[in-house]
Amino acid sequence: MKKNRAFLKWAGGKFPLLDDIQRHLPAGDCLIEPFVGAGSVFLNTDFPNYILADINSDLINLYDIVKTRVDEFVTDARALFTSETNDAEFYYARRQEFNRCTDAYRRGVLFLYLNRHCYNGLCRYNLSGEFNVPFGSYRRPYFPQDELYWFSERSQNATFVCESYDVTLNRAQKGAVVYCDPPYAPLSATANFTAYHTNSFSLRQQQHLAELAEKLSIESRIPVLISNHDTPLTREWYQAAQQLHQIKARRSISRSGTGRIQVNELLALFTGG
């Protein structure tokens, strides 16, 4: 079956793991994703309903716009994908505009422009909440028209919410299935890892997520699937899971001083059984 790509570039996106995630994701009435990110899992599953959450308000704002105003959005966003706009000076002017902008629709248009023109499609903010990723210098950034229309079509059965993972999980109703894609755990206790949002995801939050998954599966009979790096720490956090599946490395991670290393992924399924 053809896999559908997200319209955003996203660090840690799950497109390469879709086959494995689909294989281990139980059926249900509604898929809940507390860390929706670019939405690759949502775009490639077929649940009657979706609740898609993220703590990044720019992301959720953009998704609501694409859901409800896709034709207008495609026209306005496409105007920022020309040879003239693929320029460092233009990029930094738009980044400054974005950081000062209070109009939700214009912020959405600029967010897509920044995402496709910035370095590695990163989404990073400084402590003042300003987007601070540098210009990416790509030859010809791709305008994801087909992907935007597909996202809009699929999102008619989705509700987008901006909130913390624990709020989303605590509101889960019987019949739902949860897929969690938290920011990757560090490869070691001392590893530096990128905070994808101003509120970086701590080790305590990683552990708390695992505790909530166990509680939800036992008390509410709601299955929870979590993906993360396969490390001794994640195996400790997910020891209460009924199933642990190791996925052989599909990506390599840069470690300072030691070059790139292959990292396996772990899928932990909590079923409460």
Side-chain angles (χ1 to χ4, degrees), residues 46-65:
D46 194 19
F47 287 81
N49 293 288
Y50 293 85
I51 295 172
L52 305 172
D54 204 282
I55 200 168
N56 186 327
S57 57
D58 288 317
L59 192 65
I60 297 302
N61 172 58
L62 173 57
Y63 289 168
D64 273 326
I65 291 167

Side-chain angles (χ1 to χ4, degrees), residues 42 44-48 50 154:
F42 151 62
N44 290 281
T45 50
D46 194 19
F47 287 81
Y50 293 85
R154 295 284 291 131

Side-chain angles (χ1 to χ4, degrees), residues 188-222:
S188 70
T190 56
N192 292 325
F193 68 112
T194 305
Y196 294 125
H197 197 261
T198 310
N199 315 11
S200 63
F201 206 65
S202 67
L203 297 184
R204 178 66 196 106
Q205 285 172 306
Q206 294 271 10
Q207 191 178 356
H208 184 223
L209 175 62
E211 291 163 0
L212 286 177
E214 182 184 5
K215 181 169 178 272
L216 207 55
S217 67
I218 292 170
E219 294 180 6
S220 304
R221 286 281 181 253
I222 295 173

Side-chain angles (χ1 to χ4, degrees), residues 138-193:
Y138 297 107
R139 194 173 65 81
R140 191 179 177 187
Y142 173 67
F143 181 65
Q145 177 172 310
D146 291 347
E147 291 84 350
L148 283 161
Y149 277 110
W150 174 248
F151 190 100
S152 182
E153 185 183 323
R154 295 284 291 131
S155 64
Q156 299 312 307
N157 294 331
T159 301
F160 298 104
V161 283
C162 181
E163 63 191 17
S164 179
Y165 69 97
D166 49 340
V167 177
T168 307
L169 289 173
N170 284 324
R171 290 202 285 114
Q173 299 290 310
K174 199 166 178 57
V177 176
V178 178
Y179 169 63
C180 294
D181 176 28
Y184 278 121
L187 299 179
S188 70
T190 56
N192 292 325
F193 68 112

